[in-house]
Amino acid sequence: MTISDERPKTGLWNDPGLPAPVRAQALLAAMTPAEKISQLGSTWPGHEGSGDVAPMQETFRGAEPFAEAITDGLGQLTRIFGTVPITAEEGVARLAALQSHVVAANRFGIPALAHEECLTGFTTWQATVYPTSLAWAATWNPALVREMAAAIGADMAAVGIHQGLAPVLDVVRDYRWGRVEETMGEDPHLISELGLAYVQGLQSAGVIATLKHFAGYSASRGARNHAPAAIGPRELADVILPPFERAVVHGPVRSVMNAYNDVDGTPCAADATLLTGLLRDAWGFTGTVVSDYWSIAFLDSMHHVASDLPDAARQALQAGIDVELPHTSGYGAALGLMAEDGRISPQVLDRAVLRVLTQKAEMGLLDEGWSADRYRAVDLNSDRNRAVARRMAEQSVVLLDNHAGLLPLRAPRSIAVIGPAADDPGCLFGCYSFPNHVLAHHPDLPLGIDAPTVLAAIRAEFPDAEVRYTPGCSISGTDRSGIQAAVEAADAADVTVLVVGDRSGMFGNGTSGEGCDVATLHLPGVQEELTEAVLAAAHRSVLLVVSGRPYAIGRHVDAAEATVQAFFPGQEGGTAIAGILAGRVNPSGRLPVQIPGENSGQPGTYLAPPLALKSDGVSNIDPTPAFPFGHGLSYSVFRVDEVRAGADEIPTDGTVVLRATVSNVGDRAGTAVPQLYLTDPVASVTRPVRQLIGFARVDLQAGETRTLQFTVSADLAGFTGRDLRRRVEPGRLLLTVAQSAAEAGTVAAIRLTGETRYLDHRRTMAAEAQLLD
C-alpha cells in the first residue's frame, strides 16, 4: 500500500467547532482528483469466504485487494462484523486494524465509514435477533420500534459501526414477492410512522440510518426480485414514495439506498429525476445516496443501459449516487479519466465527494486524533436487548380467529405439536438475520444465541401436559410419508397445535426472503395436505402460521378452533407464542397485510379503489381477504363508539378534531388498536375506498373507557391529481374509526370548503393521536 511521507498540518477540516459543511469544503479543496474519487468507493475484506449473501455475488468476486483499494483513502468498509462468524471482541480488533491501515494510506488520515446490515438487529454472530420488519408492523407500535432501533444502534456504535442498512420502506403490492418479510406491510401511512420511528431510534445512537429501496422495488412485475416495476406515476407518488418522504423530511434520515429495479424503463440507479430532482431538490435531502450492492455494475450487466462499467459509473454519479457498495467496481480510476476528458464535470464529482466528507465530519471522523481504539466489545445479546425483543414478539403475534373459544388453553392434558416449523429456530428468523443470512454457510458453528423453538416453549409453558411432537413433513419438500404419523398424533391428543409456514433464506434457498418469490399463496411444499389431514383428525386444534408473507389459509380456518399468525418473531418468538396460547400474554398484534382469500388474485391489497375490490357482474375473481388489514383479536373485547368531529366543515387548509371513546367491555386488561380511515367519495381521480391516516394503541383495564382524540389536517385528504400535482379538493369526506379496514366502524362526515389547494413536502403527514383521560 502507498503511505505518504508528508501529511498536511492540521487544517480547518479537523476543527470540530466549525460546521461540518465548512470543514468538508476545506478538505475537498486540498484534495487531488484521485483522493476525491477514493472517498466514493468501498471495499469488502473477506467476502470471498462468506457464501452468497448478496445478489449475483459470485459474478463480482475478484475485487481489488485491500491494500490497493485503500490507496489515497476509502469511503466505506463493508460488513466487517457481518460477513463471517466472529465474536464482538474479534470484530472490534479486526475493524480497528483495518481502520489503522485506511488512515495510514491517505495523506489526511481519514478513516472509512463502516456499515452493517441491521434489519432484524445487528447482523453479526451472537447478537440479538429481533422480529423481522413485518412483525414490527404487526405491533402498530412506533414507540417500541424506536426503542428497538435505539438498542440496535447503541450496540453498533459501541463497536465502531457508523451506518446501518435499514429500514426497508418498500410498500407491499404483491404478497408473492420474496421480500415481503422485510417490509412493514401494505399501507404507506403505517410504514411511514414505523419507519420514521426506526430512523429516529437508530440515529439517536449516532448510527446513520439508510432508507431502502428507493424506489418501486416492491411493485415488480410478477412479484419477481429485480423485475421492472409495474407502476404508474400516481401510484408511485401516493403509495410508494410517502414513507421515504416522511423519513427524509421529518427524520431527517442521513442516507438512502437506490433500488435495483427500473421504473418505466429507467433503472433507479441511473434516475436523476428520482435521486436528485425529487429526493434532494424537492424534499431537501442532504445526506448520502449509496448504491445497493453492485447495482451500478448492473446498469451494464443486467439493465443494458450502459455500454460498459465506466459508462455505468458515469450515469450513476450523474444521477446522484455518491458511494458505490459493497466494493469499488465502477467508481475507480475510470471516474478520474472521465473527469479529465469532460465526460463527467468536476462539479458532479465534487458534489458527491463533498456529501461524503460532510457526513464523515458529522460523524467525528475528521476530528484530530480520531482513533478506532475508542471502540469496545459489548454484550450484543444483553438483558436489555432480549427484553425489547420479547415485548416486540409478544405484541406482534396476531390472533386471527378464536371462534370456538379454545384459546387461551386451559390445562390441557396432552398436546400434539405438529408441523415443520415447530422445532426449527431458523423458522423464527428473517432472511437478514445472521443465523439464516450467514451462519447457514457455517453449519458446524452453534447458533450463538438462545432461541427456544415453538415446541420447546410450549413444553416450558405447559409443564404438566404430555407434549408429543412430529413434523409431518418438511417446509418445502415433497415427502408425504410423515403425514400419517401426524394424523395419528393429532387423533391421540387433547389439543393439537399445528405449526406451518416458512423458513427464510436467500435466492431460492428458502421459502421466504430475498430471491425467494413464489407463484401462488398456498403453503409451501406439502404443508397444505398436512394441514388438511391434521385438522380433520384433531379433536381441538390451533392452526399457527409462522411465516414471512401472508398465505391463503382461509379454507383451513373453520377446521381449526383457533388460528394464529406470527411473522418471523425472532429469538423470543417461540416463548411469546407459547405465552399467548397459554393466556399469559393477551394478544394485541394487528395485521399489517391482509390474509388473502382462497381465490384472491395478485397483486392486490386493501388500498384500492372500488373496481379493484369485489365487483359482482364485472369479474368472477373475488379479491376479498380471509382476514382484512388491521384485523386482530384479543382475549378482551373492545368497542369504539361516540365518534364526533369538532366541526362539520373546514377549509381545504384547515384542521378538525375527531374524538372517539374506546372501551374494554371484556373481563381482562388488554390493548385496543383503533384505526382512523379516510374515504373521499367523489374526487377527480379514483381514490381508495379506505385509506389509513391515523392509529393508536390504547391500554385498557377491564371495564375501562378512554377518550381518544385525532387531530386531522385537510392535508391528509391530499392525492396526486391528473396533472401529477398533489392536491386537496373541496368536497365531502368520511372519517371512520374502526378496528380493521373492513369493519364498519363509526363514521363522522365533514366537508372541505374553498378552492383546490396544492401541497408539497411541508404538508402534514399524520393525524396526531392523543388520549385525553
Side-chain angles (χ1 to χ4, degrees):
M1 68 185 65
T2 301
I3 301 176
S4 174
D5 294 329
E6 297 183 5
R7 291 183 181 278
K9 294 182 179 180
T10 301
L12 292 177
W13 52 86
N14 298 120
D15 184 354
L18 292 175
V22 173
R23 299 169 68 188
Q25 187 65 60
L27 180 53
L28 179 71
M31 284 179 152
T32 66
E35 289 168 335
K36 293 177 182 179
I37 291 169
S38 72
Q39 294 298 313
L40 307 183
S42 60
T43 190
W44 190 354
H47 80 282
E48 298 85 357
S50 67
D52 286 343
V53 296
M56 303 187 69
Q57 183 171 327
E58 188 64 38
T59 305
F60 291 96
R61 295 197 192 277
E64 59 186 347
F66 178 73
E68 295 179 22
I70 65 174
T71 301
D72 293 322
L74 182 69
Q76 295 215 12
L77 282 165
T78 295
R79 294 181 58 165
I80 305 307
F81 283 80
T83 298
V84 296
I86 54 176
T87 65
E89 291 79 8
E90 291 167 338
V92 168
R94 184 162 187 256
L95 180 57
L98 292 169
Q99 287 282 33
S100 69
H101 289 304
V102 173
V103 167
N106 70 90
R107 290 191 302 138
F108 303 99
I110 309 168
L113 277 169
H115 77 260
E116 295 284 352
E117 298 285 357
C118 57
L119 191 62
T120 64
F122 185 5
T123 303
T124 190
W125 195 37
Q126 300 176 334
T128 303
V129 178
Y130 295 89
T132 197
S133 306
L134 195 59
W136 314 346
T139 71
W140 292 58
N141 191 341
L144 184 55
V145 171
R146 187 179 296 109
E147 182 181 356
M148 177 195 67
I152 295 169
D155 287 344
M156 296 173 75
V159 299
I161 303 305
H162 310 107
Q163 182 165 355
L165 302 187
V168 170
L169 300 188
D170 298 315
V171 181
V172 172
R173 305 303 286 156
D174 191 325
Y175 309 132
R176 298 173 300 170
W177 189 49
R179 304 191 80 168
V180 167
E181 63 167 79
E182 298 178 50
T183 76
M184 287 175 269
E186 65 186 61
D187 181 81
H189 177 70
L190 180 62
I191 298 169
S192 294
E193 298 313 293
L194 298 171
L196 176 63
Y198 186 95
V199 166
Q200 292 177 337
L202 196 73
Q203 294 189 165
S204 73
V207 174
I208 297 165
T210 310
L211 308 184
K212 55 187 191 181
H213 306 86
F214 193 62
Y217 190 32
S218 56
S220 60
R221 284 196 180 97
R224 295 180 63 252
N225 194 34
H226 292 208
I231 195 168
R234 290 189 57 258
E235 185 177 352
L236 183 70
D238 288 353
V239 177
I240 301 297
L241 293 177
F244 294 93
E245 184 180 15
R246 180 83 157 119
V248 167
V249 174
H250 296 287
V253 75
R254 301 304 299 139
S255 194
V256 173
M257 175 180 278
N258 72 281
Y260 285 120
N261 58 281
D262 74 76
V263 178
D264 197 25
T266 302
C268 296
D271 192 344
T273 300
L274 180 71
L275 300 179
T276 298
L278 179 67
L279 181 63
R280 295 189 184 276
D281 298 342
W283 293 352
F285 176 68
T286 59
T288 57
V289 175
V290 300
S291 76
D292 205 343
Y293 285 15
W294 295 298
S295 61
I296 293 174
F298 285 174
L299 294 176
D300 169 30
S301 64
M302 302 298 291
H303 289 291
H304 301 294
V305 297
S307 57
D308 52 24
L309 187 54
D311 185 37
R314 177 190 63 81
Q315 292 189 42
L317 188 68
Q318 289 179 335
I321 292 182
D322 303 310
V323 180
E324 182 177 23
L325 301 180
H327 60 71
T328 303
S329 178
Y331 278 17
L335 283 187
L337 295 175
M338 287 187 284
E340 289 178 6
D341 65 20
R343 283 179 288 169
I344 294 175
S345 73
Q347 293 79 13
V348 168
L349 177 62
D350 283 357
R351 76 178 185 183
V353 179
L354 186 62
R355 291 165 185 161
V356 171
L357 296 178
T358 298
Q359 198 155 78
K360 289 191 173 186
E362 292 170 345
M363 299 297 290
L365 299 183
L366 302 187
D367 294 357
E368 186 176 10
W370 180 92
S371 171
D373 293 338
R374 69 182 65 191
Y375 302 119
R376 68 192 191 283
V378 296
D379 183 357
L380 299 178
N381 190 30
S382 64
D383 291 345
R384 172 204 61 183
N385 290 4
R386 293 195 303 274
V388 173
R390 187 176 307 117
R391 283 188 287 134
M392 180 73 75
E394 290 173 349
Q395 294 184 23
S396 72
V397 178
V398 183
L399 177 59
L400 295 177
D401 180 76
N402 195 24
H403 66 266
L406 176 61
L407 296 181
L409 297 176
R410 298 166 180 87
R413 297 184 303 276
S414 61
I415 304 174
V417 179
I418 297 170
D423 197 31
D424 179 356
C427 292
L428 301 173
F429 306 143
C431 76
Y432 269 81
S433 67
F434 193 85
N436 288 25
H437 193 64
V438 177
L439 203 60
H441 303 289
H442 304 270
D444 295 335
L445 287 177
L447 196 60
I449 54 173
D450 184 25
T453 65
V454 173
L455 173 63
I458 287 175
R459 283 179 167 150
E461 194 76 40
F462 298 96
D464 297 329
E466 178 187 5
V467 179
R468 294 184 177 179
Y469 167 66
T470 180
C473 65
S474 63
I475 289 286
S476 57
T478 59
D479 184 357
R480 298 167 171 80
S481 62
I483 293 180
Q484 183 57 39
V487 167
E488 293 170 2
D491 181 56
D494 182 25
V495 173
T496 296
V497 178
L498 176 61
V499 191
V500 295
D502 285 319
R503 197 183 199 282
S504 69
M506 305 283 287
F507 313 117
N509 292 311
T511 58
S512 174
E514 185 173 2
C516 297
D517 314 312
V518 297
T520 76
L521 292 173
H522 295 130
L523 291 167
V526 296
Q527 291 185 75
E528 289 284 347
E529 296 175 42
L530 174 70
T531 301
E532 186 171 346
V534 167
L535 295 183
H539 301 287
R540 296 185 299 163
S541 60
V542 179
L543 174 61
L544 169 60
V545 183
V546 183
S547 64
R549 65 165 58 84
Y551 284 103
I553 58 169
R555 72 187 185 95
H556 301 301
V557 170
D558 288 342
E561 278 67 30
T563 304
V564 177
Q565 172 71 58
F567 297 111
F568 292 147
Q571 71 180 61
E572 298 293 330
T575 302
I577 289 167
I580 283 173
L581 297 180
R584 176 174 52 80
V585 177
N586 195 350
S588 62
R590 301 295 186 268
L591 288 175
V593 288
Q594 299 177 130
I595 302 297
E598 182 67 21
N599 298 310
S600 297
Q602 288 295 306
T605 69
Y606 99 94
L607 196 65
L611 282 175
L613 304 180
K614 184 178 181 181
S615 46
D616 293 334
V618 174
S619 172
N620 62 313
I621 296 177
D622 182 0
T624 303
F627 297 100
F629 174 83
H631 171 77
L633 302 179
S634 168
Y635 299 145
S636 307
V637 179
F638 304 109
R639 189 179 69 233
V640 178
D641 49 24
E642 298 182 22
V643 174
R644 54 200 182 279
D648 295 329
E649 293 186 353
I650 61 170
T652 52
D653 62 353
T655 298
V656 65
V657 170
L658 191 76
R659 291 182 179 175
T661 58
V662 185
S663 303
N664 182 349
V665 297
D667 58 5
R668 64 178 290 180
T671 302
V673 186
Q675 302 152 35
L676 176 61
Y677 293 93
L678 181 145
T679 300
D680 187 351
V682 179
S684 57
V685 298
T686 60
R687 301 283 290 125
V689 172
R690 277 188 176 179
Q691 177 179 350
L692 184 73
I693 61 170
F695 60 90
R697 285 178 62 94
V698 182
D699 297 329
L700 295 166
Q701 295 298 316
E704 184 180 12
T705 295
R706 303 191 70 180
T707 300
L708 177 64
Q709 175 176 293
F710 290 104
T711 302
V712 183
S713 168
D715 292 3
L716 298 174
F719 60 89
T720 300
R722 300 183 192 185
D723 58 0
L724 300 184
R725 297 172 65 192
R726 188 174 297 278
R727 55 170 53 202
V728 176
E729 296 178 343
R732 183 168 173 261
L733 298 177
L734 304 178
L735 300 175
T736 303
V737 182
Q739 297 187 71
S740 77
E743 186 186 66
T746 307
V747 182
I750 66 168
R751 181 169 294 278
L752 300 184
T753 61
E755 300 297 319
T756 295
R757 179 167 153 263
Y758 293 93
L759 306 174
D760 60 17
H761 65 285
R762 294 167 293 185
R763 70 190 184 278
T764 299
M765 298 185 189
E768 179 185 355
Q770 180 182 3
L771 287 169
L772 299 182
D773 47 29

